[in-house]
Amino acid sequence: MSEWTWEWTGYDPAAERLRESLCTLGNGYFATRGALPERRAGLVHYPGTYAAGCYNRLESTVAGRQVVNEDLVNLPNWLFLRYRARRTGGTWSPWFTPSAHTLLDHRHTLDLRRGTLVRSSRHHNDELGVLGVEQTRLVHMEDPHLAALRTVLTAEDWSGQIEIESSLDGDVINGNVHRYRALDRHHLNHVRTGAQEPRTIWLSCRTRTSDITVTLAARTMIHADEAPASSVLRPGRHRAVHRLVVPVTRGRPVIVDKTVALHTSRDTAISDPLGEAVDRVSGAADFPTLLDSHVAAWERLWRRTDLQVPGEAGRILRFHLFHVLQTLSPHTAELDVGVSARGLHGEAYRGHVFWDELFVLPYLNLHLPEVSRALLDYRHRRLPRACAAASAVGRAGAMYPWQSGSNGREESQEWHLNPASGRWLPDHSRLQYHVGSAIAYNVWQYCEATGDTEYLHTKGAEMLLQIARFWADLAVFDQYTRRYRISGVVGPDEYHDSYAGAAKPGLDDNAYTNVTAAWVLTRTLELVRRLPAWRREELFQRVRLSTDVLPEWEDISRRLRVPFHQGVISQFEGYDDLIELDWDAYRARYRTIRRLDRVLEAEGDTVNRYKASKQADVLMLGYLFSPTDLRALFRRLGYHLDDEVWRSTVDYYLQRTSHGSTLSELVHGLVLARARRADAWQYVHEALEADIADIQGGTTGEGIHLGAMAGTLDLIQRGLTGLETREDALWLDPVPLPALSEYGFSLRYRGHWGVGVRRRSGQLEIAVPDSEESAIRVVLADRAVTVAPGETCTLLLPTD
């Protein structure tokens, strides 16, 4: 392995799904898991393919309940290619698979720089001999509708024939997540297949309720010393097959190139998805040319997202960046999609959009801002649906869903299954209204980073205004405390969704919810004051809101309640009344307690009774806001928050968190880097390894955790540098973390492409590439400098 490559050796059925997820290849439009091409989906392998935004909704009957779910659809398998062989005058061997023959060698190499996955194998058969196999696959980063697989077969010690079966398989279901097995998983129907001589097969189908047409066309070509003895195209009921028999000579390779085009009816600028797929694959270049253009596209992408961190941490960070770019590439800017929490790598969470863009957009804003804007547009297009959702429960403004899919309706389940107990439980996660604050935060951060005032004054302003309107309507003035309170919510923690024994779900005055609501109101009021008078009037008319509400919003933004206990910020009102958990006893009794809620429910208990968090949502405030901004927020609310109170708060929740979310270690790592540096690396290291080590015990095989991966990149870019983009300047407040004391990256800031930021040997270097743009103002705690295009500024950092 090297800085740019990852290798998996040997064949381990128990680990194949994890490897397949980590070896997924994609281009932002679609992605395919790293399964063996010769294997169909089963208990070991799962060759899933997913197109961004391609959802379907089905109703299932489970344990006597009617359950409706919208899922990201597993599309027909384009990858399938199998082979068998016979010596001259002999009989055909079984189809080659890792279990059917003796494996002398088996290796997968993921090349991040080139965006390819290479599989190398040597199979031994007693009657036949040794067959060498090398397969290189790509999902094209320049043309988002193309993928290709090159297979090189070499008979090492025999001669005869090889039979190759190259297929498009429409007989697929959504079967990646075992706990969903009781649901209806058949999302495709109306499967049709066909062929176009001499070498093209095609398959067309539709999703059952969303009625999205999906088409694939495949071209299979042979490069060998002799022409194929036979070549037959066989369209079938659910599969289209191209079967070839090729003479093979000892030591002489047979090359099989399979090129595939994928189109759906969601695509723009097309009339007929099937015709487009057939035309595209027919006119596609040969494999070497496709590979060259694919590698060139990745080279351009790496240049824009340059990241340099020495050692193993840097290697993992580049791996995370690779998967972020495969899910959210420049092609995403042309799509109507959100940030799927598990990427395009599997079916966990049903491919839904949660709040993960909160961890993704801060990185993209300074590298691929056009992608950030498109992801915000996904939210803006669903603003009317969010307003309708608020109205349906008697609220004003916009109530964005906790889980979103195709059209912005709430996709959260009303019941969920605890696999530890086998019981169905009510799901109150839809009360996580803080997702609206995350959207507002992302709007603001994008516009500060890019200077896109046009967006801020139009779509951004509409979203901010409606989200602020919702918070203002939800806040109720309490005469006793003389403060506004927000009740009946669930915070990011998720373990606590009600008071134990309460008739209604939800909690009161969740600190994270209230502080971020106050921030939204404050930023919205600031924006309203900034707007030109004509635009302000137009905006308020458009959203049917009177400016008379602004004084009340001002009052709420200053008087929302934040509970405290024992000198620390309370996660919510009444947190101090909960029981302390015997953490040592539970750790001794169970292998892992990351999902402590499931453990306790299986025992007939509930985590709602205990001071225990899945992820300490109070500490999320220290992840989103710099120490200066957080103190200012609390000061505006009338509370004193100094370093001692914050450190005590961090220590308090650190002892009471099970880290049931992959985001938890990430947040703790960044917060501790500022509050208690000696302990930070433990959590940063766990955040880096969350997926590659599958620390949650099997979940990564169902899809990577995109927010956690992107968050580790943001940990370097914003966390360790203290980087903020505000007041038309780059603000920096570096944090020394010995294990990550050297790093470098480039930014796209306003009109500057490739602004270099590098820390090493107690120095921070800012390099601005030559251009006709204006100089960049850089502000540190103790000084401000201006760096002109073509100049490099080296700043000495204080020793710690």
Side-chain angles (χ1 to χ4, degrees):
M1 292 188 285
S2 72
E3 181 183 4
W4 287 92
T5 60
W6 288 69
E7 289 187 357
W8 290 260
T9 58
Y11 180 72
D12 180 2
E16 282 299 292
R17 289 209 176 191
L18 170 62
R19 182 198 59 73
E20 290 174 359
S21 189
L22 297 177
C23 289
T24 296
L25 296 181
N27 58 22
Y29 175 79
F30 81 101
T32 297
R33 288 167 56 86
L36 299 178
E38 67 269 18
R39 300 308 297 264
R40 293 192 172 93
L43 295 177
V44 175
H45 297 281
Y46 195 77
T49 290
Y50 311 96
C54 187
Y55 292 99
N56 186 64
R57 183 174 285 110
L58 294 177
E59 182 174 306
S60 308
T61 302
V62 182
R65 299 183 185 277
Q66 295 302 114
V67 179
V68 177
N69 287 297
E70 184 175 71
D71 290 79
L72 188 68
V73 178
N74 178 29
L75 301 183
N77 179 17
W78 67 267
L79 194 60
F80 191 79
L81 187 142
R82 64 178 181 172
Y83 38 87
R84 61 181 179 175
R86 64 181 177 189
R87 284 180 177 271
T88 302
T91 59
W92 289 108
S93 70
W95 295 102
F96 280 86
T97 65
S99 57
H101 299 79
T102 301
L103 270 181
L104 303 179
D105 182 41
H106 188 70
R107 182 184 309 270
H108 281 88
T109 303
L110 182 66
D111 188 328
L112 309 185
R113 189 193 297 274
R114 295 164 61 84
T116 59
L117 177 64
V118 177
R119 176 266 193 105
S120 302
S121 297
R122 295 175 67 242
H123 302 262
H124 177 263
N125 178 277
D126 289 339
E127 296 181 7
L128 185 68
V130 176
L131 178 68
V133 182
E134 182 172 285
Q135 292 178 307
T136 303
R137 78 177 72 170
L138 59 89
V139 176
H140 210 272
M141 188 52 83
E142 184 176 73
D143 186 329
H145 299 281
L146 289 179
L149 171 69
R150 164 164 280 195
T151 304
V152 181
L153 303 168
T154 305
E156 295 188 8
D157 52 3
W158 56 276
S159 298
Q161 290 181 317
I162 294 178
E163 183 175 13
I164 297 142
E165 189 178 278
S166 173
S167 303
L168 297 173
D169 185 2
D171 190 17
V172 298
I173 62 170
N174 271 45
N176 176 235
V177 181
H178 184 66
R179 62 187 174 277
Y180 299 165
R181 64 192 179 280
L183 303 174
D184 187 347
R185 298 178 291 170
H186 295 80
H187 290 277
L188 302 175
N189 62 9
H190 300 295
V191 178
R192 297 185 299 125
T193 66
Q196 181 173 294
E197 295 288 353
R199 57 179 66 92
T200 300
I201 53 176
W202 57 262
L203 182 150
S204 175
C205 58
R206 293 208 300 269
T207 54
R208 284 171 57 188
T209 58
S210 55
D211 202 32
I212 300 170
T213 299
V214 178
T215 64
L216 297 98
R219 181 190 72 195
T220 304
M221 302 178 68
I222 302 293
H223 308 280
D225 291 342
E226 298 183 48
S230 66
S231 174
V232 180
L233 306 178
R234 293 184 177 175
R237 184 179 176 190
H238 290 105
R239 298 187 188 99
V241 178
H242 187 180
R243 185 166 289 161
L244 304 107
V245 176
V246 184
V248 59
T249 303
R250 178 198 305 257
R252 301 293 296 169
V254 171
I255 300 174
V256 185
D257 286 342
K258 182 177 184 179
T259 307
V260 175
L262 187 156
H263 275 278
T264 81
S265 54
R266 298 183 77 246
D267 297 344
T268 57
I270 69 168
S271 60
D272 170 28
L274 176 56
E276 290 290 334
V278 171
D279 288 349
R280 188 174 293 267
V281 81
S282 298
D286 61 15
F287 186 87
T289 304
L290 284 176
L291 179 60
D292 286 346
S293 57
H294 169 74
V295 170
W298 266 109
E299 184 180 356
R300 293 190 296 271
L301 198 49
W302 284 121
R303 195 179 305 127
R304 292 177 63 180
T305 57
D306 183 36
L307 176 69
Q308 299 153 13
V309 177
E312 184 66 8
R315 189 167 168 272
I316 296 172
L317 284 162
R318 185 171 283 113
F319 183 78
H320 287 182
L321 178 54
F322 177 73
H323 283 295
V324 171
L325 295 175
Q326 292 194 119
T327 308
L328 303 169
S329 79
H331 300 301
T332 307
E334 307 298 322
L335 306 176
D336 176 36
V337 297
V339 177
S340 175
R342 304 301 281 270
L344 298 173
H345 297 60
E347 295 159 19
Y349 302 163
R350 300 179 174 85
H352 290 169
V353 177
F354 294 73
W355 69 328
D356 295 77
E357 65 250 52
L358 187 62
F359 301 88
V360 175
L361 262 65
Y363 179 80
L364 294 179
N365 289 340
L366 292 168
H367 297 279
L368 301 170
E370 67 277 14
V371 177
S372 291
R373 180 167 176 150
L375 297 171
L376 292 174
D377 281 346
Y378 168 87
R379 294 297 193 178
H380 181 261
R381 293 187 191 100
R382 288 150 183 81
L383 180 60
R385 173 75 73 163
C387 291
S391 179
V393 295
R395 295 296 177 189
M399 185 176 77
Y400 275 96
W402 175 236
Q403 295 188 40
S404 181
S406 59
N407 65 353
R409 63 174 268 182
E410 178 61 77
E411 300 295 349
S412 298
Q413 299 167 265
E414 295 186 8
W415 296 85
H416 71 271
L417 176 68
N418 179 2
S421 68
R423 287 188 287 265
W424 286 85
L425 308 168
D427 189 326
H428 303 308
S429 60
R430 64 186 59 224
L431 297 179
Q432 293 192 66
Y433 302 146
H434 62 83
V435 66
S437 293
I439 294 166
Y441 181 89
N442 283 326
V443 168
W444 193 267
Q445 290 291 326
Y446 162 77
C447 294
E448 286 281 348
T450 61
D452 192 347
T453 55
E454 184 270 337
Y455 197 88
L456 181 63
H457 291 176
T458 53
K459 295 176 181 178
E462 291 174 16
M463 286 187 277
L464 283 168
L465 209 60
Q466 293 288 25
I467 294 167
R469 192 179 194 178
F470 175 76
W471 286 130
D473 190 54
L474 201 62
V476 175
F477 187 71
D478 177 40
Q479 291 289 349
Y480 178 73
T481 61
R482 308 299 296 170
R483 285 189 170 273
Y484 291 89
R485 307 188 66 185
I486 294 177
S487 302
V489 303
V490 172
D493 167 34
E494 290 189 316
Y495 275 2
H496 297 92
D497 61 1
S498 68
Y499 293 101
K504 289 184 177 181
L507 305 163
D508 301 335
D509 295 325
N510 174 262
Y512 175 84
T513 300
N514 284 15
V515 172
T516 55
W519 181 89
V520 172
L521 287 161
T522 301
R523 293 284 80 81
T524 304
L525 290 164
E526 180 182 331
L527 172 60
V528 168
R529 288 192 293 269
R530 274 197 220 169
L531 287 173
W534 68 267
R535 175 55 189 153
R536 182 166 55 247
E537 180 181 353
E538 182 181 78
L539 175 64
F540 275 70
Q541 286 178 351
R542 179 175 173 81
V543 301
R544 297 178 178 84
L545 182 66
S546 169
T547 55
D548 293 344
V549 302
L550 297 181
E552 181 187 8
W553 289 15
E554 180 78 28
D555 193 41
I556 295 170
S557 74
R558 294 180 179 277
R559 299 171 71 185
L560 269 168
R561 185 163 187 272
V562 180
F564 284 76
H565 72 275
Q566 300 177 28
V568 304
I569 305 168
S570 296
Q571 187 167 308
F572 51 82
E573 179 62 35
Y575 189 86
D576 191 39
D577 298 330
L578 303 181
I579 304 168
E580 289 286 5
L581 183 76
D582 188 344
W583 290 88
D584 290 338
Y586 275 91
R587 288 190 176 101
R589 199 182 316 168
Y590 294 94
R591 186 175 63 86
T592 175
I593 58 169
R594 286 183 180 273
R595 288 308 306 264
L596 184 64
D597 57 333
R598 293 175 175 174
V599 169
L600 288 170
E601 194 280 328
E603 292 185 348
D605 204 347
T606 172
V607 76
N608 283 324
R609 298 176 57 233
Y610 298 96
K611 294 175 181 174
S613 299
K614 179 181 181 182
Q615 52 187 340
D617 52 24
V618 171
L619 303 192
M620 267 296 299
L621 296 171
Y623 181 85
L624 294 184
F625 305 113
S626 69
T628 301
D629 287 344
L630 193 57
R631 285 194 295 269
L633 262 173
F634 273 74
R635 186 165 57 248
R636 180 183 175 88
L637 287 165
Y639 296 104
H640 177 67
L641 179 66
D642 58 20
D643 290 344
E644 182 179 349
V645 172
W646 181 246
R647 276 195 295 267
S648 297
T649 299
V650 171
D651 290 344
Y652 183 86
Y653 290 103
L654 197 62
Q655 300 168 29
R656 295 168 174 83
T657 302
S658 74
H659 304 293
S661 165
T662 55
L663 297 170
S664 185
E665 280 95 356
L666 170 69
V667 170
H668 278 75
L670 187 146
V671 169
L672 285 170
R674 293 190 178 277
R676 207 171 74 194
R677 190 176 313 132
D679 298 324
W681 175 245
Q682 170 191 344
Y683 294 96
V684 172
H685 183 258
E686 288 185 10
L688 289 170
E689 293 206 331
D691 272 329
I692 61 172
D694 198 12
I695 64 172
Q696 295 221 336
T699 64
T700 303
E702 302 165 352
I704 53 96
H705 297 81
L706 192 70
M709 283 190 170
T712 61
L713 305 173
D714 193 38
L715 177 75
I716 304 297
Q717 181 170 286
R718 286 199 310 164
L720 297 187
T721 63
L723 174 64
E724 294 182 88
T725 52
R726 55 186 172 90
E727 300 172 24
D728 296 322
L730 292 176
W731 293 67
L732 295 163
D733 184 15
V735 175
L737 190 63
L740 288 171
S741 58
E742 292 189 17
Y743 50 79
F745 52 85
S746 62
L747 303 174
R748 178 176 164 188
Y749 178 65
R750 305 295 171 90
H752 299 277
W753 293 58
V755 176
V757 178
R758 186 171 183 84
R759 177 180 179 141
R760 57 184 169 185
S761 305
Q763 298 179 339
L764 191 68
E765 183 182 278
I766 312 294
V768 179
D770 194 19
S771 72
E772 298 298 317
E773 296 291 329
S774 303
I776 294 178
R777 193 163 68 96
V778 178
V779 182
L780 278 79
D782 58 348
R783 75 205 101 153
V785 297
T786 300
V787 188
E791 292 184 353
T792 297
C793 178
T794 301
L795 305 168
L796 292 176
L797 299 175
T799 57
D800 199 57

